[in-house]
Amino acid sequence: MQMEKRKDKWNDLFELAMYATAAVCFVYFWVKGIPAKMFQAVLIVAVLLIIRFVVKITKTTMFAALRFSVLLFIFITMFLANEFGFYKVIPYLDKIEHLFSGLILCFVGLMIYMKASEGEKAAVPNAKVAVWFCLFFSIAMAGVWEIYEYTTDSLFGLHSQNGSLVDTMTDIICGTISAIVTSIYLAFKAKQRKMPLIDVQS
């Protein structure tokens, strides 16, 4: 428990640093006169605040490793890739991000499933149902993310999707592959009655 709290303090510092970096980016690109980059900095803060809001209203405790993974994903995708233009520096960075997202979203789906099961006093969480929920949730969110990118690109002149259907579909495919692999891992652990985060009945 003490180790978990220590890790979460590092997460607090990481998140605080991201707020500070977003503020610096906003001012810098304001001086440079680049509205799209200024808006990207605002989006980063908005995403961080939305995550905090959702966690608070749902009274969900996000364990330290998952929170770090989510913060790191936001840092890579929204800071390095979009704000600082690392797509041109690191080959296939976009695809790596979507592979990573499939894994994270499976564990988020697992948390959602367990949270939804808390109100059912007579129900016992079922490993098979949990795995299927994780899989479909992760794949669905891959599609939702592409809708988000398309919307922000269209409204604010960003270039997250490079105006390409091929880019959109390969992103969804990468997220789906990662979700399938992670779900297979969860199913394997469930058979051993060692599913991460929870102890469920198979």
Side-chain angles (χ1 to χ4, degrees), residues 75-163:
F75 178 76
I76 293 173
T77 57
M78 302 190 79
F79 270 119
L80 292 185
N82 289 321
E83 194 77 331
F84 303 142
F86 268 57
Y87 281 128
K88 298 178 181 178
V89 179
I90 304 176
Y92 304 109
L93 175 59
D94 184 47
K95 309 314 168 195
I96 295 171
E97 292 168 358
H98 285 278
L99 285 169
F100 187 29
S101 71
L103 182 149
I104 293 175
L105 287 168
C106 271
F107 282 96
V108 171
L110 188 57
M111 289 181 63
I112 291 173
Y113 173 80
M114 288 307 299
K115 189 68 180 178
S117 299
E118 285 180 3
E120 302 294 333
K121 295 181 180 179
V124 178
N126 185 286
K128 292 178 182 178
V129 175
V131 170
W132 281 109
F133 181 84
C134 292
L135 174 63
F136 292 134
F137 175 81
S138 184
I139 293 173
M141 288 302 102
V144 169
W145 180 259
E146 293 305 314
I147 293 172
Y148 158 79
E149 287 191 342
Y150 173 78
T151 302
T152 54
D153 283 2
S154 300
L155 294 178
F156 305 108
L158 303 179
H159 303 284
S160 303
Q161 294 183 315
N162 299 315

Side-chain angles (χ1 to χ4, degrees), residues 35-49:
K37 294 291 186 179
M38 292 169 58
F39 179 73
Q40 184 67 32
V42 173
L43 275 181
I44 293 169
V45 173
V47 168
L48 290 171
L49 291 176

